[in-house]
Amino acid sequence: MERRSLSRGDGGQSPGGAGQGFRRAGDCGPIPVFWQVGAPCPVAGGGPTCHRRPGGFLIAAFPSYFGSVNGVSTTATWRERIDAYEKLMRLDKPIGTLLLLWPTLWALWFSSLGQPDWRVVWIFVLGTFLMRSAGCVINDYADRHFDRHVHRTKDRPLTAGRVTEKEALTLFVFLCLVSLVLILPLKNILVLELSLVGAFLAASYPFTKRFFAIPQAYLGIAFGFGIPMAYAAQMDALPRDAWLLLLANIFWSVAYDTEYAIVDRPYDLKIGIKTSAITFGRYDVAAIMACYVATLGLIGWVGYGLLRGPWFFAGLAVAAGMAVYHYFLIRKRDLDKCFQAFMHNNWLGGAIFVGIVLDFLFRPFGPSLGLPLH
């Protein structure tokens, strides 16, 4: 039986023909005889002679196949539904994954003195992708009642009704479980414990926008929790440098996400969510630049402690130049340019990483003394 035969309104014949398990009712076309009675037609709008909704067990088993569930249309093709899931996980917008990935890579190279275990690297790259996707899903679930009031977010799959709330929560749990399975081969209890904390941070961040004046700081912890996990995976310890890098990432997250929040500030004020752009008010640009200074200063402190040289500091200098460029983009608070500055942070994080990699490549540490080989 072709699925489209269930939603036809022209009274056409079913693929199986008359008398082969189908009957005609009203104007709704052929229907299966196993459907139960007692509910209005999910396809043709109901009516006394209309056919009836399928049994509850069929809806539960095949929510995408029959009519609607909780008012959400489920007659879309699988291609459309897959596209909705991709957009829910922001697979079409990789900027978020990259903003999570760069700090994790900084930590992997610093913690291994430029010689990371490549198996660990791949596990963390995949884990970053999965947890960023999970974070987007739970964020949209938490904001589903707010997003409909914001022009930029009103068409997101959950808000627009292309994905149900149950499906979103199921997808979030699935992504978290896959991420957990991913780190099991490391056989590292500390990494496992930190991963549970990281999952809690990812799940709870969206709700901080209700009461926390600068939720971007909490985002920085959630986005940067790959840093202590990377140190734990490489060193089985959490040295001071891990927490300095995490602090640097908190400042960086406040900087770039405030640029992003400026774009949404009119809507956020209207619906009552808290953001750093609202909290900083007219000092938002100054606060962003101060956060950039703190970010680069803390990363420079870590690199200096590890006796890093010109390649590393050249990378920081390039990143500092980008931060200055951001100032000229955001100083007049033009919304499009603020969003451009936010997107450009991908290159800032990448410049820092390239500097770290090149410095360890050309100035490796000695095997025993822990000093650079010249």
Side-chain angles (χ1 to χ4, degrees):
M1 178 182 69
E2 296 182 35
R3 186 175 63 192
R4 67 172 181 268
S5 68
L6 300 181
S7 59
R8 293 177 60 181
D10 57 1
Q13 293 295 323
S14 70
Q20 297 185 24
F22 290 86
R23 64 179 174 83
R24 189 180 301 280
D27 295 324
C28 296
I31 59 170
V33 296
F34 52 75
W35 283 20
Q36 69 179 26
V37 298
C41 171
V43 176
T49 61
C50 184
H51 68 255
R52 305 306 184 197
R53 184 181 300 273
F57 74 97
L58 289 173
I59 294 180
F62 305 102
S64 300
Y65 213 81
F66 297 105
S68 64
V69 178
N70 295 330
V72 178
S73 174
T74 55
T75 57
T77 66
W78 281 109
R79 184 187 297 273
E80 291 169 338
R81 295 192 66 76
I82 290 173
D83 180 68
Y85 289 138
E86 288 176 351
K87 285 181 168 56
L88 183 63
M89 295 187 290
R90 308 289 198 280
L91 300 189
D92 58 327
K93 298 177 180 178
I95 179 66
T97 299
L98 293 170
L99 292 175
L100 265 78
L101 184 60
W102 294 129
T104 303
L105 293 177
W106 305 340
L108 286 169
W109 257 255
F110 274 139
S111 62
S112 65
L113 302 180
Q115 298 179 359
D117 181 332
W118 285 101
R119 183 185 64 151
V120 173
V121 172
W122 281 111
I123 287 174
F124 272 76
V125 169
L126 292 174
T128 297
F129 167 77
L130 290 169
M131 286 308 299
R132 186 263 177 163
S133 298
C136 290
V137 172
I138 197 65
N139 180 78
D140 282 11
Y141 176 81
D143 290 350
R144 63 195 184 280
H145 300 306
F146 295 113
D147 284 346
R148 67 187 61 173
H149 301 291
V150 180
H151 178 74
R152 183 180 52 80
T153 61
K154 64 183 177 63
D155 293 324
R156 285 178 173 175
L158 190 56
T159 303
R162 296 194 299 275
V163 175
T164 67
E165 295 178 8
K166 181 179 178 181
E167 288 173 326
L169 290 175
T170 301
L171 181 59
F172 170 73
V173 172
F174 172 76
L175 291 168
C176 289
L177 289 176
V178 174
S179 301
L180 178 63
V181 170
L182 200 61
I183 64 173
L184 293 180
L186 297 178
K187 299 179 180 179
N188 188 308
I189 298 298
L190 182 56
V191 173
L192 181 60
E193 292 172 345
L194 291 172
S195 72
L196 298 177
V197 177
F200 170 78
L201 292 170
S204 56
Y205 156 68
F207 300 95
T208 63
K209 289 179 277 188
R210 276 77 165 160
F211 60 87
F212 191 25
I214 307 179
Q216 283 74 9
Y218 196 92
L219 175 70
I221 301 174
F223 265 31
F225 218 69
I227 293 172
M229 289 181 64
Y231 273 86
Q234 298 277 175
M235 302 177 65
D236 200 23
L238 296 174
R240 182 194 65 175
D241 286 352
W243 303 113
L244 290 176
L245 280 181
L246 180 59
L247 183 60
N249 189 70
I250 293 172
F251 280 113
W252 188 35
S253 297
V254 172
Y256 66 66
D257 211 55
T258 301
E259 292 170 344
Y260 190 84
I262 290 174
V263 178
D264 287 342
R265 180 158 49 191
Y267 301 102
D268 293 337
L269 284 168
K270 179 180 177 181
I271 60 183
I273 339 184
K274 299 182 182 297
T275 71
S276 54
I278 294 173
T279 300
F280 293 144
R282 63 188 180 125
Y283 301 106
D284 49 2
V285 173
I288 289 169
M289 299 313 298
C291 286
Y292 277 131
V293 171
T295 299
L296 298 175
L298 287 165
I299 297 172
W301 185 4
V302 173
Y304 180 79
L306 293 174
L307 304 179
R308 292 300 82 209
W311 290 100
F312 168 72
F313 288 104
L316 285 186
V318 171
M322 292 180 181
V324 173
Y325 170 62
H326 291 181
Y327 168 74
F328 289 101
L329 287 176
I330 67 175
R331 61 177 178 168
K332 294 183 179 180
R333 298 170 180 82
D334 178 85
L335 301 187
D336 290 336
K337 290 184 177 180
C338 286
F339 187 73
Q340 181 183 347
F342 162 75
M343 296 290 289
H344 197 258
N345 275 276
N346 170 45
W347 298 104
L348 190 151
I352 295 172
F353 177 61
V354 170
I356 294 171
V357 170
L358 291 178
D359 204 74
F360 277 115
L361 181 64
F362 292 111
R363 301 180 71 255
F365 271 74
S368 57
L369 298 179
L371 297 174
L373 296 175
H374 298 283

